[in-house]
Amino acid sequence: MVFFGTTWLARDAGYAARRVAVALGSLTTAVAAGFVLRFAYEGLEIAKVGSFVGLLLAVMFAVCSAIAFRRTWDGFTRRPADPAHEESLRSVKAIGFMGSLIAYFLRSLAEAPGEGLRRKEYETALAQYERRRTARAGNPAARAAAREKGKGRNKGGSKGGNPQRA
């Protein structure tokens, strides 16, 4: 989202062009990463390490990519519940970087990655601000009178009130 700044709020100032650039960049990077993985696999074939090691490598990258895809995709819609657990999966996500790149590409087709989450957080913060602001507005004398009126209801003693008035 750093690449987009705050243009995702109103989707202005070249927002569409940036989304296209992000989509093409992540797809290009995913393709280049695929070639790197292919060269690594061919290196194992040249070294004649055996089919078991090659199969183990392919399965490892597939599983790590699936985990990285899912964690990256979920990160676009909600904050992690346990940041320590997310931190412990960093190495798995690094191995499965292809999954993260593909998730980033697919998400950039619909919106700026993380835009939905940030928009939801922004709207929640804005609504909280408006509630706080409207609660402060009005006649302070009327609020003081309402407080005085409410104090007469607690006739069982002076719990939490002014001890001089009890």
Side-chain angles (χ1 to χ4, degrees):
M1 284 299 290
V2 175
F3 183 68
F4 291 94
T6 56
T7 59
W8 56 270
L9 283 172
R11 294 185 173 174
D12 58 353
Y15 172 82
R18 285 185 228 179
R19 261 201 32 225
V20 168
V22 165
L24 289 176
S26 60
L27 183 62
T28 303
T29 307
V31 169
F35 282 121
V36 169
L37 290 178
R38 172 75 182 168
F39 293 143
Y41 186 76
E42 287 178 0
L44 289 175
E45 285 181 354
I46 292 170
K48 296 182 182 175
V49 293
S51 61
F52 178 72
V53 173
L55 179 67
L56 193 62
L57 182 73
V59 169
M60 178 199 59
F61 273 111
V63 169
C64 289
S65 290
I67 292 170
F69 178 88
R70 185 65 184 171
R71 292 292 180 165
T72 303
W73 191 263
D74 286 346
F76 295 141
T77 56
R78 60 184 146 88
R79 297 279 179 209
D82 185 13
H85 180 65
E86 199 68 26
E87 183 69 24
S88 68
L89 288 174
R90 188 185 337 176
S91 59
V92 173
K93 288 168 92 175
I95 293 169
F97 63 98
M98 288 279 294
S100 291
L101 289 171
I102 292 170
Y104 205 81
F105 167 71
L106 292 175
R107 193 60 173 199
S108 65
L109 294 177
E111 66 181 9
E115 174 186 345
L117 175 64
R118 286 200 168 91
R119 185 175 299 280
K120 185 171 60 171
E121 290 173 347
Y122 171 76
E123 289 170 355
T124 302
L126 191 61
Q128 289 173 348
Y129 169 76
E130 287 297 323
R131 279 197 306 272
R132 285 191 315 267
R133 193 172 141 250
T134 56
R136 288 191 310 250
N139 185 354
R143 284 197 310 265
R147 277 195 302 262
E148 289 296 323
K149 190 177 188 182
K151 284 185 180 180
R153 294 182 189 168
N154 187 9
K155 297 189 185 224
S158 61
K159 291 186 177 179
N162 189 348
Q164 295 176 351
R165 289 190 176 184

